[in-house]
Amino acid sequence: MKILEIDEWADIGYPSQKLGDVEITHTNYNKGYYTMENVKGYDIFKVNKKIKVTVLKIKNKQVMVDDPLHWIGMQDIAEKSSGNVCVAGLGLGLIIHHLVKNSEVQHIDIYEINKEVIELIFPLLPKDKELKL
C-alpha cells in the first residue's frame, strides 16, 4: 500500500462567502487516513497534523473540497492536457489553477450551469490564459 504523508497543507486560499444556495466555507481534516483513489499511485493519504481545506457547498451539500485527493488529482489531469481544453463543471476551479500552468494548453472553455457558482468562483481563478465561460 502506497501512502502519501501530509505534514503541511495550504488550502486554495479562497475567502468564506455565500451567494444564494452556494457557499465557500472551510473545515479541518484531523490526523488520520483518507482515501487517495490511486491518484499518482497512492492508495491513501495520511494527515500527520490537522489541515484546513476549502469546501464548496450547494444547498448545504458538500460538492467539492481542495484536499490532497482532489488538488493532486486535478493536477494530474491538467498535466496530461494540451490544446483547447473544455472543463465541464467549475466546482472550486482546482483544475483551472493547474491548467493555466501547462504551456501545452492554449485555451480553456468552462461550462457551469449554476450562475451562483460562476459568480463566486470565477473571480477567484487565475487569469494567466484566456478563460471562456
Side-chain angles (χ1 to χ4, degrees):
M1 178 174 296
K2 191 172 175 188
I3 301 172
L4 175 63
E5 298 271 342
I6 304 293
D7 294 314
E8 299 285 329
W9 188 255
D11 75 331
I12 201 163
Y14 292 172
S16 294
Q17 52 186 321
K18 185 172 183 173
L19 179 63
D21 290 333
V22 178
E23 180 178 17
I24 300 170
T25 187
H26 299 89
T27 192
N28 293 312
Y29 280 18
N30 293 316
K31 288 172 60 172
Y33 295 90
Y34 299 83
T35 186
M36 197 61 185
E37 299 180 8
N38 203 34
V39 169
K40 295 278 191 178
Y42 291 102
D43 300 299
I44 57 177
F45 67 94
K46 179 183 176 192
V47 173
N48 293 321
K49 60 182 178 182
K50 184 168 49 175
I51 62 171
K52 178 179 143 186
V53 296
T54 304
V55 179
L56 178 65
K57 293 181 179 180
I58 300 176
K59 295 182 179 176
N60 211 30
K61 180 180 176 190
Q62 180 176 304
V63 295
M64 189 172 207
V65 296
D66 69 345
D67 65 3
L69 166 64
H70 296 91
W71 182 257
I72 296 168
M74 294 297 110
Q75 180 182 42
D76 192 38
I77 293 167
E79 288 171 350
K80 296 172 182 167
S81 300
S82 63
N84 296 324
V85 177
C86 170
V87 175
L90 182 57
L92 286 169
L94 304 183
I95 196 162
I96 305 301
H97 288 270
H98 298 297
L99 286 169
V100 298
K101 295 176 187 172
N102 182 340
S103 62
E104 298 294 316
V105 172
Q106 305 305 313
H107 180 82
I108 305 166
D109 285 313
I110 304 166
Y111 295 88
E112 173 58 58
I113 61 172
N114 189 312
K115 292 183 188 304
E116 293 166 345
V117 169
I118 293 168
E119 288 181 41
L120 280 181
I121 302 299
F122 193 75
L124 303 171
L125 297 177
K127 303 295 191 275
D128 301 38
K129 295 193 189 256
E130 180 185 351
L131 305 177
K132 182 180 174 194
L133 277 169

